Amino acid sequence: MAKLQFLLLVLATHLWVSTAAGRPRQIHPLRRLEAAGDHSDHGISCDSWRMAVETNNIRRWKTVPAACEFYLGNYMLGGLYRKDSAFAIDQAVEYAESLKIAGDGKDVWVFDIDETSLSNLPYYSIHGFGSEPYNDTLYSQWVEMEMAFALPETLRLYNRLLSLGIRVVFLTGRKEHQRHHTAMNLIKAGYTSWEKLLLRRPSDGSTTALVFKSGQRKKLEEEGYRIVGNIGDEWSDILGGSAGSRTFKLPDPLYYIS
Amino acid sequence: MAKLQFLLLVLATHLWVSTAAGRPRQIHPLRRLEAAGDHSDHGISCDSWRMAVETNNIRRWKTVPAACEFYLGNYMLGGLYRKDSAFAIDQAVEYAESLKIAGDGKDVWVFDIDETSLSNLPYYSIHGFGSEPYNDTLYSQWVEMEMAFALPETLRLYNRLLSLGIRVVFLTGRKEHQRHHTAMNLIKAGYTSWEKLLLRRPSDGSTTALVFKSGQRKKLEEEGYRIVGNIGDEWSDILGGSAGSRTFKLPDPLYYIS
């Protein structure tokens, strides 16, 4: 039953993605055509909350404020999330096209996976857009379904990078035992090749994502790679050591990872 | 004549600030009550542009897109800018109150000046809200008038920090020859004391603000100071070395400093 619900949502969301060039279709009761304006109901400005999240001013938050669930549904599905993503990707493509690539296969771009390469919006849209506490069991089931879709803007960057001769490294907080499902999902979504797919192994312990990812990037550099770009939806993807020559922050007001 | 125009604007803006607890008064023809929604006129989403600026995705930009001047007037004067600032400052105050202060006078908080401690909104509101190219002559005249007002939210943080026993260091890209006018303006605006006021000297050369400010913060640490917090409106205020235990980004969609 839950699976059927997922399937319907995934189908609906794919329609939304595939019609994004025109007016996206209505797929969610929360949806409005444009997201924002200011929502100051319930004593919180959800616009200001979202800005504080995106600029790393609020940290270690657990869930979206309940008063902002409706607002975030509008934001994520109403068009502005996609526009914000497109704007960020436009900058990344412009930067990538300005690079001189050595052609020795050592120029790499680091991609985070969740809410960067793959979108879990079908999952979050039935779990309160981040207003429900994280549920590891349910989320793991979702990962194993391999049904996350590509963020269309990120896929555009990915394809452009490959055509420029820049290789892609996926670096994710997903765990090593999820490698197969993750790889299959990436392929299904259109990310068909990569230089490395780096997941968190048991030996990486319970360090923060920032420490884990900095360490992995340092290893890449020690192996002779040049990290020409790095893109993620969390600040922990793009801060820390060996961050890369240039970093890009995709929007994600749904959850926080330190 | 220009001075009279300034005076009127400053007066109006002070009214706006002083009535901020209630409905701010209308002081500018661009003003609307709430700022945003999505403005996709002229082929650019000004919401997405602003988000890209605030998340450091767009860099080295020279002027606000002409199509967004109206949008930014609404944003800056329509209430959302103040709400975004207040939200950031709320986080900073909460963080500051959580600190254990040694009481030896070595715990400092670094404040940028322009668009962080002082607001130059009266200047920018008659110069296209960042859509006109920077004019060093006119801007220097404005600085010498010492009429920038305090960002009320930042002044609230400043006062709270002093009461907690944290000392304040102002670190600015303003030049050493502007020290007197800068100090006078700070005092008039309510920032009546500080541990240090660090300006850019001729010997600092033409390095970027990021390099200059990182160097100055490093010197602070070498002098035994602990930078417990750091707040600015530009990413070059809060990235780089010796950034401080925690950084806060205030909104500023009007200009970019690398």
Side-chain angles (χ1 to χ4, degrees):
Chain A
M1 186 58 205
K3 186 148 184 171
L4 177 64
Q5 201 175 13
F6 269 135
L7 282 169
L8 289 172
L9 261 158
V10 169
L11 177 65
T13 320
H14 272 291
L15 282 174
W16 166 70
V17 170
S18 60
T19 61
R23 284 282 184 224
R25 300 188 195 180
Q26 182 142 354
I27 64 161
H28 194 277
L30 294 177
R31 189 184 169 281
R32 285 197 321 200
L33 191 63
E34 301 301 350
D38 185 30
H39 292 241
S40 302
D41 296 338
H42 311 285
I44 184 167
S45 164
C46 297
D47 260 330
S48 295
W49 180 84
R50 181 166 65 87
M51 181 57 81
V53 164
E54 298 298 359
T55 54
N56 206 20
N57 281 335
I58 310 184
R59 302 185 191 179
R60 294 178 200 83
W61 53 278
K62 299 289 186 192
T63 54
V64 163
C68 297
E69 177 185 349
F70 184 85
Y71 166 90
L72 283 176
N74 287 333
Y75 172 71
M76 295 302 293
L77 296 170
L80 190 51
Y81 170 64
R82 293 288 302 280
K83 282 185 187 170
D84 286 352
S85 302
F87 216 104
I89 294 295
D90 288 345
Q91 305 305 313
V93 168
E94 186 180 316
Y95 162 74
E97 291 175 345
S98 76
L99 293 172
K100 296 215 188 329
I101 300 305
D104 60 358
K106 289 298 189 181
D107 291 305
V108 296
W109 193 294
V110 174
F111 281 68
D112 171 56
I113 291 184
D114 292 299
E115 271 52 69
T116 298
S117 305
L118 298 178
S119 172
N120 301 296
L121 200 43
Y123 178 87
Y124 287 103
S125 65
I126 60 169
H127 288 284
F129 293 102
S131 65
E132 294 179 13
Y134 175 71
N135 183 316
D136 193 57
T137 306
L138 291 179
Y139 189 74
S140 296
Q141 288 171 0
W142 161 250
V143 166
E144 290 173 13
M145 289 169 71
E146 305 169 4
M147 291 176 74
F149 57 84
L151 268 164
E153 289 75 22
T154 307
L155 188 57
R156 169 161 62 90
L157 171 64
Y158 168 88
N159 284 323
R160 188 72 188 109
L161 293 178
L162 293 189
S163 74
L164 290 168
I166 299 168
R167 302 199 179 182
V168 167
V169 170
F170 289 108
L171 174 55
T172 175
R174 288 189 180 194
K175 291 173 184 161
E176 188 62 41
H177 70 80
Q178 296 170 312
R179 175 179 290 275
H180 173 73
H181 290 304
T182 299
M184 290 304 295
N185 200 156
L186 284 170
I187 291 167
K188 287 179 192 175
Y191 301 97
T192 50
S193 70
W194 50 79
E195 183 75 4
K196 284 177 187 284
L197 167 57
L198 302 171
L199 302 100
R200 194 190 271 261
R201 289 158 306 181
S203 59
D204 294 314
S206 58
T207 56
T208 61
L210 191 140
V211 169
F212 164 66
K213 293 192 169 186
S214 297
Q216 294 294 312
R217 290 191 305 261
K218 184 159 183 284
K219 277 187 202 166
L220 284 173
E221 291 184 338
E222 288 166 357
E223 292 166 13
Y225 291 105
R226 295 175 296 270
I227 303 172
V228 298
N230 178 8
I231 188 162
D233 60 295
E234 299 284 332
W235 283 99
S236 53
D237 295 328
I238 57 177
L239 293 177
S242 307
S245 302
R246 175 97 191 246
T247 62
F248 296 89
K249 168 76 177 73
L250 284 170
D252 181 4
L254 301 181
Y255 55 84
Y256 178 87
I257 296 174
S258 60
Chain B
M1 185 59 203
K3 188 149 183 168
L4 178 64
Q5 199 175 15
F6 268 135
L7 282 169
L8 288 172
L9 260 158
V10 169
L11 177 65
T13 318
H14 272 292
L15 283 175
W16 165 72
V17 170
S18 60
T19 60
R23 285 280 184 224
R25 299 187 196 182
Q26 183 144 354
I27 64 161
H28 193 277
L30 294 178
R31 191 185 166 279
R32 286 197 320 199
L33 191 62
E34 301 301 350
D38 186 29
H39 292 242
S40 302
D41 296 339
H42 311 286
I44 185 168
S45 164
C46 298
D47 260 330
S48 294
W49 180 84
R50 180 165 66 86
M51 180 57 79
V53 164
E54 297 297 359
T55 54
N56 205 20
N57 280 336
I58 309 185
R59 301 185 191 179
R60 295 178 198 83
W61 53 278
K62 299 288 185 193
T63 55
V64 163
C68 297
E69 176 183 350
F70 183 85
Y71 166 90
L72 283 176
N74 286 333
Y75 172 72
M76 294 302 293
L77 297 170
L80 190 50
Y81 170 64
R82 293 289 300 279
K83 282 185 186 170
D84 286 352
S85 301
F87 216 104
I89 294 296
D90 287 346
Q91 304 306 312
V93 169
E94 187 180 316
Y95 163 74
E97 291 175 345
S98 76
L99 293 172
K100 298 214 187 328
I101 300 304
D104 59 358
K106 290 297 189 181
D107 291 304
V108 295
W109 193 296
V110 174
F111 282 68
D112 171 57
I113 292 184
D114 292 300
E115 270 54 67
T116 297
S117 304
L118 298 178
S119 172
N120 302 296
L121 200 43
Y123 177 86
Y124 287 105
S125 66
I126 59 168
H127 288 284
F129 292 102
S131 65
E132 294 178 11
Y134 175 72
N135 184 318
D136 193 58
T137 306
L138 290 179
Y139 190 74
S140 296
Q141 287 171 1
W142 162 250
V143 166
E144 289 173 13
M145 290 168 70
E146 306 169 4
M147 291 177 73
F149 57 85
L151 267 164
E153 290 75 22
T154 306
L155 187 57
R156 170 162 61 91
L157 171 64
Y158 167 89
N159 285 323
R160 187 72 188 109
L161 293 178
L162 294 188
S163 73
L164 290 168
I166 299 169
R167 302 198 179 183
V168 166
V169 171
F170 289 108
L171 173 55
T172 176
R174 288 190 180 194
K175 292 173 182 160
E176 188 62 42
H177 70 81
Q178 296 171 311
R179 175 179 289 276
H180 173 72
H181 290 303
T182 299
M184 289 305 293
N185 200 156
L186 284 170
I187 291 166
K188 288 179 192 175
Y191 301 97
T192 51
S193 69
W194 49 80
E195 183 74 5
K196 284 177 187 282
L197 168 56
L198 302 171
L199 302 100
R200 194 190 269 262
R201 289 159 306 180
S203 60
D204 294 315
S206 58
T207 56
T208 61
L210 191 141
V211 170
F212 164 67
K213 292 191 168 184
S214 296
Q216 293 294 311
R217 290 191 305 261
K218 185 159 183 283
K219 276 187 201 165
L220 285 173
E221 291 184 338
E222 287 166 357
E223 293 166 12
Y225 291 106
R226 295 174 296 271
I227 303 172
V228 298
N230 178 9
I231 189 162
D233 60 296
E234 299 284 333
W235 283 100
S236 53
D237 295 329
I238 56 177
L239 292 178
S242 306
S245 302
R246 175 99 191 244
T247 61
F248 295 90
K249 167 76 177 74
L250 285 169
D252 181 5
L254 301 182
Y255 54 83
Y256 178 87
I257 296 173
S258 59

